[in-house]
């Protein structure tokens, strides 16, 4: 997905836009560009990061109080200068920036070429702005009307901003399937993919809904929908502080977010969990909790790390709620014809709340009559607005592409939901319920303690920074953690890594074991501990290099593994919250030692808002 920022007001537009693009670079960063009305409608764009665009702009006349910028994660057309946004229309009197995919761009392009249009790029976006201008010329209408008419014809997802040389006070923004926020300042307006580029200027925002068009013209904001129905702007105050999106002295956002986890887990439980009164209060579920309590089956849909959180939840819900749970990759679920019956409840898990596959899975499940709960971290994002109920994880903005604090916050919310449901179903004893509430309250301090292993983990990372492969193994609640550890490593260090249930090794993967293969075992004291110890023996017998995550004080594992990382003990059903911490740190340090761009790994984006 891409990042878009636009501004009109009393400030120097390029300053606001460049700074805003830097805050959005986590969304995509293979090329960037800016359009300004500085004497003419001028576009400056190139392959590379915002910093490179900034150097490219040195010496240019940037005097303009209106403009827009874009940072790209390529969908149509490789990352290069021509495919970077913004894009001109045929006459170069219009310009557009776009996050999304226009699915019928090929047919539109064919029609436009037949009319004599020529294109400089391979992108669907350039077709989009040519199409808008073609309509404006045929209909002889203002820009905002031309945009609206074009939106009645395009198929696909978009968050766009369009500007015109001939209407120098106007910005036209619209969205469908990709997020767009309008910031309302004093005599100035901002438009962006999320609130992070806006909040240092204003906390007053309007979250555009699908098929809505925001027009700022002559200092006035109006909103209507694609059907031309005028709408009253619903201005909300976003409670995001600037320091939350700064690095706070850490070298990378990812490291900051790893170390924020004691607080983010605390924030996630605040006002919701109180072991002294045995109360769990999840406001967002209130009207629908009964649907979960009476569910015949729970389907969890998610992607990536959020899918791993779903796997942990499967063990937890089945153990305590005695409700069958199925965890599905949203990208698979959405394209097969799943059987969804009355009494099925779907839980969609997403940090960004904008993942296209997860949104599509929600739509499919809704169309088949299921009740949908959303577990999201970004307030006002698309998934919370597409679901019947849900809960925010309150982990704060997660800027690093590799998800860390959002994962542990997702687990906390899922644990709290499952315990509420189990209590209501009478499938958990009061004693066990209380015991788990008390233990959950100790997790922030246990995570704090696990973070103190950072230096030891850095030392281990140095030993394996040149490894070409890794295997991660765990059983039970630690099996999804093995998958998560492997994903963390591969997505930021580019080392191939696989996670398996430890018992699976003998069904093939053990053939991979030799003296070059680092094998990370999550071997904390739990009901499958003895089995994992045997699996460690099997790997050692084949000269595999064992790195073990063990329960503190575990002499046996310490005697067996080449490296042992000892984490605080906790109930096995909550262990993923603690055992994942060293794996986050291990992947971080290996990636830094390999000179990788930890916060913006190659080929990735923070939220995949395209299919
Ligand atoms: C996690 O580290 C990855 N960046 C990625 O797998 C991510 O979890 C996935 O794209 C889902 O994103 P979401 O939680 O925002 O839906």
């Amino acid at each position: 997905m891409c990042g878009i920022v636009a501004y009109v007001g009393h400030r120097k537009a390029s300053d606001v836009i460049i700074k805003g693009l830097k805050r959005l670079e986590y969304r995509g960063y293979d090329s960037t560009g800016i359009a300004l009305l500085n004497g003419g409608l001028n576009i400056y764009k190139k392959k590379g990061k915002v910093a490179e665009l900034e150097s490219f702009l040195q010496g240019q006349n940037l005097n303009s109080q209106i403009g827009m910028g874009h940072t790209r994660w390529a969908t149509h057309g490789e990352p290069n200068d021509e495919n970077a946004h913004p894009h001109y229309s045929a006459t170069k009197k219009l310009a557009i920036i776009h996050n999304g995919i226009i699915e019928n761009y090929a047919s539109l392009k064919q029609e436009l070429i037949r009319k004599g249009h020529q294109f400089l790029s391979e992108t669907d976006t350039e077709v989009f702005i040519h199409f808008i201008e073609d309509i404006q010329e045929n209909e002889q209408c203002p820009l905002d009307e031309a945009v609206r008419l074009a939106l009645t014809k395009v198929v696909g997802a978009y968050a766009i901003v369009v500007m015109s040389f001939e209407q120098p006070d106007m910005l036209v923004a619209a969205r469908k399937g990709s997020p767009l926020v309008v910031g309302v300042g004093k005599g100035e307006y901002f438009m962006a993919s999320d609130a992070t580029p806006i909040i240092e200027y204003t906390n007053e925002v309007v979250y555009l809904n699908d098929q809505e068009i925001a027009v700022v013209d002559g200092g006035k904001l109006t909103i209507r929908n694609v059907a031309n129905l005028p709408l009253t702007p619903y201005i909300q105050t976003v409670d995001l502080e600037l320091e939350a999106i700064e690095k706070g002295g850490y070298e990378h956002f990812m490291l900051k977010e790893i170390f924020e986890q004691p607080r983010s887990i605390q924030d996630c439980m605040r006002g919701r969990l109180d072991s002294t009164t045995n109360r769990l209060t999840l406001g967002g579920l209130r009207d629908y909790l009964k649907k979960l309590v009476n569910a015949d089956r729970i389907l969890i849909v998610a992607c990536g790390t959020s899918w791993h959180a779903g796997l942990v939840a499967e063990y937890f819900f089945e153990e305590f709620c005695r409700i069958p749970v199925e965890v599905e990759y949203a990208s698979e679920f959405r394209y097969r014809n799943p059987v969804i019956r009355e009494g099925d409840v779907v839980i969609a898990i997403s940090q960004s709340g904008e993942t296209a596959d997860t949104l599509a899975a929600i739509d499919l499940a809704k169309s088949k009559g299921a009740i949908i709960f959303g577990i999201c971290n970004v307030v006002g994002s698309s998934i919370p607005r597409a679901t019947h109920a849900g809960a925010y994880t309150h982990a704060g903005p997660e800027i690093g592409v590799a998800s860390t604090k959002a994962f542990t916050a997702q687990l906390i919310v899922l644990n709290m939901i499952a315990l509420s449901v189990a209590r209501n179903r009478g499938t958990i004893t009061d004693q066990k319920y209380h015991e788990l509430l008390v233990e959950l309250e100790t997790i922030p301090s246990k995570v704090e303690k696990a973070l103190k292993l950072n230096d030891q983990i850095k030392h281990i990372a140095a030993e394996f920074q040149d490894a070409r492969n890794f295997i991660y193994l765990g059983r039970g609640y630690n099996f999804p953690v093995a998958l998560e550890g492997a994903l963390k490593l591969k997505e930021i260090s580019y080392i191939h890594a696989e996670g398996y249930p430890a018992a699976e090794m003998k069904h093939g993967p053990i053939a991979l074991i030799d003296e070059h293969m680092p094998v990370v075992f999550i071997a904390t004291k739990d009901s499958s501990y003895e089995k994992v110890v045997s699996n460690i023996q099997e790997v050692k017998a084949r000269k595999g290099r064992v790195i073990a995550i063990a329960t503190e004080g575990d002499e046996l594992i310490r005697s067996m593994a080449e490296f042992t990382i000892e984490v605080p003990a906790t109930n096995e059903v909550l262990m993923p919250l603690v055992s994942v911490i060293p794996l986050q740190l291990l992947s971080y340090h290996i990636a830094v030692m390999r000179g990788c761009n930890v916060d913006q790994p190659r080929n990735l984006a923070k939220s995949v808002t395209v299919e």
Side-chain angles (χ1 to χ4, degrees), residues 297-554:
R297 179 175 66 146
I298 294 175
L299 292 166
I300 296 177
V301 294
C303 302
T305 288
S306 298
W307 184 78
H308 296 152
L311 287 179
V312 176
E314 175 181 12
Y315 287 75
F316 201 93
F317 270 91
E318 292 206 344
E319 176 155 3
F320 296 109
C321 306
R322 308 311 295 155
I323 301 173
V325 176
E326 286 172 36
V327 186
E328 301 255 6
Y329 279 117
S331 55
E332 283 299 306
F333 181 83
R334 66 177 290 193
Y335 289 118
R336 62 186 185 79
N337 185 13
V339 175
I340 293 181
R341 291 181 292 262
E342 179 76 25
D344 284 345
V345 168
V346 172
I347 298 179
I349 307 171
S350 174
Q351 187 286 129
S352 62
E354 299 296 349
T355 300
D357 286 323
T358 309
L359 272 163
I362 290 168
D363 291 345
L364 173 66
K366 237 192 296 191
S367 71
K368 290 176 178 273
I371 295 292
I372 328 273
F373 289 80
I375 313 289
C376 283
N377 192 41
V378 178
V379 175
S381 57
S382 300
I383 288 179
R385 293 184 299 160
T387 49
H388 296 98
Y392 283 115
T393 47
H394 296 314
E398 187 177 72
I399 309 295
V401 165
S403 189
T404 50
K405 65 176 183 174
F407 175 68
T408 47
Q410 287 166 351
L411 296 184
I412 292 286
V413 169
L414 289 158
N415 289 343
M416 293 193 291
I417 293 173
L419 289 172
S420 282
V421 171
R423 189 111 195 265
N424 280 277
R425 286 171 62 90
T427 49
I428 188 170
T429 63
D430 289 348
Q431 187 204 337
K432 188 67 177 171
Y433 175 82
H434 179 67
E435 178 195 306
L436 287 173
L437 290 195
V438 168
E439 187 59 23
L440 274 167
E441 287 174 336
T442 70
I443 294 297
S445 60
K446 290 182 175 176
V447 168
E448 191 72 59
K449 201 167 175 198
L451 289 168
K452 291 187 175 13
L453 300 163
N454 189 42
D455 289 344
Q456 180 203 0
I457 293 164
K458 196 169 175 180
H459 168 72
I460 297 170
E463 178 72 21
F464 293 98
Q465 59 179 300
D466 298 324
R468 298 174 61 79
N469 297 285
F470 262 80
I471 288 183
Y472 288 71
L473 301 175
R475 284 179 183 250
Y477 284 83
N478 280 326
F479 157 51
V481 180
L483 299 178
E484 174 59 12
L487 175 62
K488 286 283 99 45
L489 184 73
K490 59 188 141 186
E491 69 173 321
I492 62 173
S493 73
Y494 317 144
I495 295 174
H496 174 251
E498 290 189 68
Y500 278 105
E504 268 302 294
M505 283 302 287
K506 54 188 175 296
H507 300 287
I510 201 162
L512 293 170
I513 305 299
D514 61 20
E515 65 279 16
H516 305 298
M517 180 64 81
V519 182
V520 178
F521 275 95
I522 303 142
T524 49
K525 289 267 176 69
D526 58 22
S527 48
S528 53
Y529 174 75
E530 286 70 27
K531 302 274 186 258
V532 175
V533 167
S534 310
N535 297 142
I536 292 175
Q537 297 289 24
E538 290 155 7
V539 167
K540 281 175 64 66
R542 290 154 181 85
K543 300 187 175 35
R545 302 190 63 187
V546 175
I547 303 163
I549 312 296
T551 303
E552 60 191 2
D554 188 334

Side-chain angles (χ1 to χ4, degrees), residues 200-249:
E200 63 187 280
Y201 307 101
T202 176
N203 281 64
E204 303 296 295
V205 298
V206 176
Y207 290 101
L208 275 195
N209 292 306
D210 276 356
Q211 309 227 2
E212 289 182 354
I213 303 163
V215 180
V216 174
D217 187 20
K220 204 163 144 315
L221 169 67
T222 54
I223 294 181
R224 56 187 157 126
N225 64 17
V226 171
N228 211 13
L229 185 70
L231 301 166
T232 306
Y234 172 42
I235 298 177
Q236 303 180 50
T237 303
V238 64
D239 62 348
L240 200 54
E241 295 309 323
L242 190 53
E243 56 90 22
I245 57 171
E246 301 284 358
K247 281 186 194 160

Side-chain angles (χ1 to χ4, degrees), residues 239-298:
D239 62 348
L240 200 54
E241 295 309 323
L242 190 53
E243 56 90 22
I245 57 171
E246 301 284 358
K247 281 186 194 160
Y250 286 92
E251 190 183 352
H252 298 101
F253 280 110
M254 182 181 177
L255 190 61
K256 174 188 174 211
E257 288 148 14
I258 290 171
F259 276 84
E260 277 179 341
Q261 289 177 104
R263 198 187 69 218
S264 54
I265 290 171
Q266 195 78 49
D267 289 348
C268 186
M269 295 190 287
R270 182 168 294 115
R272 292 166 156 174
L273 187 155
D274 181 349
S275 65
T276 56
T277 59
N278 255 1
R279 281 171 61 82
L280 272 172
T281 318
L282 289 155
L285 304 189
R286 198 174 294 118
D287 307 345
Y288 285 87
L289 187 62
K290 215 183 275 324
K291 295 282 185 186
L292 263 172
V293 171
N294 301 323
D296 301 326
R297 179 175 66 146
I298 294 175

